[in-house]
């Protein structure tokens, strides 16, 4: 795992990837800090981090698009399978490499609230709590990006799908509230999600019977619940999306709420998508 970590880190800094990511990261925080803290005069550095989180929609695809997709395209992933380490160690090594690359600019950012403290009534615990939440948000989005990179051999396609996933995650609560807040809208949305999950299970396992069985049971249960009491579905889909959205959890840190359940949630998202990445690589390995 250490060898994979060092190799990926070396690849990041021998190309423009790490430097472009660092430039975007520092620039985004600096722009929002100048607006909120220097221009408007808010003594809340966490507002700058909340604004800069939008830039992750572009930065995450940049840093994750080649991490596995390029290996598959060049057929060098076959070399990874011959290493005396497990697929899990390979994936974790790659994840740690991109995570460290993304954290390095934030080490510089951590100095900003200390400097601002000397010129205003900045509350450092809230500022650093939001910075911690920003790091956890970045790690969760990186795990999603790595998984997307593992399901395609094309870097542009990986970047495009990842960007779409980031956009969806950023706006999905707002979109759901406008379009799917009714009971019928929530019902239809849940059925669509169950179909997509069944397709994902089929892609990951190659087992049609398992995918159809899980999808069929979930859809029958949803239909039965809707027939029994449709009021249960009123506003259900937006509420589910709000609970699942990593951005909504991050905004809790911005509001000064340090809830350990949010930390557990971020870790769960990271583990879940790294697990899916391992399964994706294992499927290719045995095929």
């Amino acid at each position: 795992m250490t060898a994979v970590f060092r190799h990926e880190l070396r690849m990041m800094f021998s190309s423009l990837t790490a430097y472009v990511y660092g430039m975007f990261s520092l620039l985004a925080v600096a722009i929002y800090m100048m607006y909120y803290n220097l221009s408007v005069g808010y003594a809340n550095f966490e507002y700058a981090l909340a604004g800069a989180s939008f830039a992750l929609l572009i930065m995450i695809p940049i840093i994750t698009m080649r991490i596995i997709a390029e290996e598959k395209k060049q057929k060098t992933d076959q070399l990874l399978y011959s290493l005396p380490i497990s697929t899990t160690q390979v994936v974790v090594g790659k994840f740690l490499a991109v995570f460290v690359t993304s954290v390095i600019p934030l080490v510089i950012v951590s100095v900003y609230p200390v400097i601002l403290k000397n010129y205003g009534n900045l509350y450092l615990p809230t500022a650093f709590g939001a910075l911690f939440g920003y790091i956890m948000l970045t790690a969760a989005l990186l795990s999603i990006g790595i998984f997307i990179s593992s399901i395609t051999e094309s870097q542009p396609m990986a970047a495009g799908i990842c960007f779409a996933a980031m956009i969806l995650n950023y706006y999905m609560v707002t979109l759901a509230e406008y379009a799917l807040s009714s009971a019928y809208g929530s019902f239809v949305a849940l059925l669509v999600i169950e179909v997509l999950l069944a397709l994902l299970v089929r892609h990951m396992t190659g087992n049609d019977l398992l995918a159809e069985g899980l999808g069929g049971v979930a859809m029958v249960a949803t239909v039965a619940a809707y027939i029994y009491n449709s009021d249960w579905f009123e506003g259900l889909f937006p509420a589910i999306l709000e609970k699942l959205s990593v951005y909504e959890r991050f905004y809790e840190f911005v509001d000064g709420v340090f809830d350990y359940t949010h930390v557990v949630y971020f870790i769960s998202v990271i583990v879940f998508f790294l697990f899916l990445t391992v399964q994706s690589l294992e499927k290719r390995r045995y095929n």
Side-chain angles (χ1 to χ4, degrees):
M1 186 176 73
T2 304
V4 174
F5 168 75
R6 291 178 178 175
H7 171 73
E8 290 298 329
L9 205 59
R10 192 181 305 112
M11 289 290 292
M12 290 285 181
F13 284 94
S14 62
S15 64
L16 292 177
T17 304
Y19 304 104
V20 171
Y21 181 92
M23 178 193 70
F24 271 108
S25 183
L26 292 173
L27 184 62
V29 176
I31 290 174
Y32 283 100
M33 185 185 71
M34 289 179 63
Y35 175 73
Y36 285 114
N37 302 122
L38 302 182
S39 178
V40 180
Y42 289 136
N44 302 88
F45 181 69
E46 51 271 21
Y47 292 171
L49 293 174
S53 66
F54 182 81
L56 292 174
L57 305 182
I58 299 174
M59 297 190 300
I60 296 299
I62 288 176
I63 199 171
T64 60
M65 64 180 181
R66 58 149 294 275
I67 194 71
I68 296 178
E70 184 65 12
E71 298 265 14
K72 295 171 70 174
K73 181 180 179 180
Q74 300 295 334
K75 308 301 181 184
T76 53
D77 59 327
Q78 304 300 321
L79 297 176
L80 296 176
Y81 301 141
S82 65
L83 294 176
I85 56 176
S86 65
T87 307
T88 301
Q89 290 175 307
V90 171
V91 171
V92 172
K94 287 178 173 289
F95 170 76
L96 290 177
V98 293
F99 178 69
V100 169
T101 303
S102 66
V103 166
I104 290 175
L106 298 181
V107 174
I108 301 174
V109 170
S110 66
V111 180
Y112 295 174
V114 178
I115 296 174
L116 292 174
K117 174 67 175 177
N118 296 324
Y119 300 95
N121 297 320
L122 189 73
Y123 189 56
L124 288 179
T126 303
F128 283 108
L131 182 59
F132 175 78
Y134 188 87
I135 293 173
M136 296 300 294
L137 170 67
T138 302
L141 296 179
L142 285 173
S143 66
I144 297 174
I146 290 174
F147 167 65
I148 293 173
S149 180
S150 72
I151 62 176
T152 178
E153 296 182 359
S154 170
Q155 288 191 52
M157 183 176 293
I161 297 175
C162 185
F163 178 72
M166 299 298 107
I167 286 285
L168 178 62
N169 200 298
Y170 189 84
Y171 287 111
M172 66 180 181
V173 174
T174 303
L175 293 175
E177 287 176 350
Y178 281 104
L180 301 169
S181 58
S182 66
Y184 181 73
S186 296
F187 169 67
V188 172
L190 288 176
L191 291 180
V192 171
I193 289 178
E194 287 161 0
V195 171
L196 294 177
L197 289 176
L199 292 175
L200 178 62
V201 171
R202 181 180 181 276
H203 173 76
M204 300 301 298
T205 64
N207 191 323
D208 292 341
L209 183 61
L210 176 62
E212 292 172 2
L214 291 176
V217 169
M219 294 178 71
V220 168
T222 302
V223 171
Y226 184 77
I227 294 174
Y228 179 75
N229 190 350
S230 61
D231 292 339
W232 290 348
F233 290 79
E234 192 72 37
L236 177 62
F237 190 61
I240 292 175
L241 292 184
E242 186 174 353
K243 295 295 183 182
L244 293 178
S245 174
V246 292
Y247 272 96
E248 292 299 317
R249 303 277 178 161
F250 165 64
Y251 292 147
E252 293 288 328
F253 287 96
V254 173
D255 292 337
V257 179
F258 193 96
D259 192 337
Y260 288 105
T261 60
H262 297 335
V263 179
V264 173
Y265 176 77
F266 279 123
I267 294 174
S268 300
V269 170
I270 294 168
V271 172
F272 176 70
F273 280 100
L274 292 185
F275 170 77
L276 291 182
T277 304
V278 171
Q279 298 308 307
S280 177
L281 292 180
E282 284 290 324
K283 178 186 175 182
R284 178 177 173 84
R285 177 180 187 176
Y286 289 111
N287 285 342

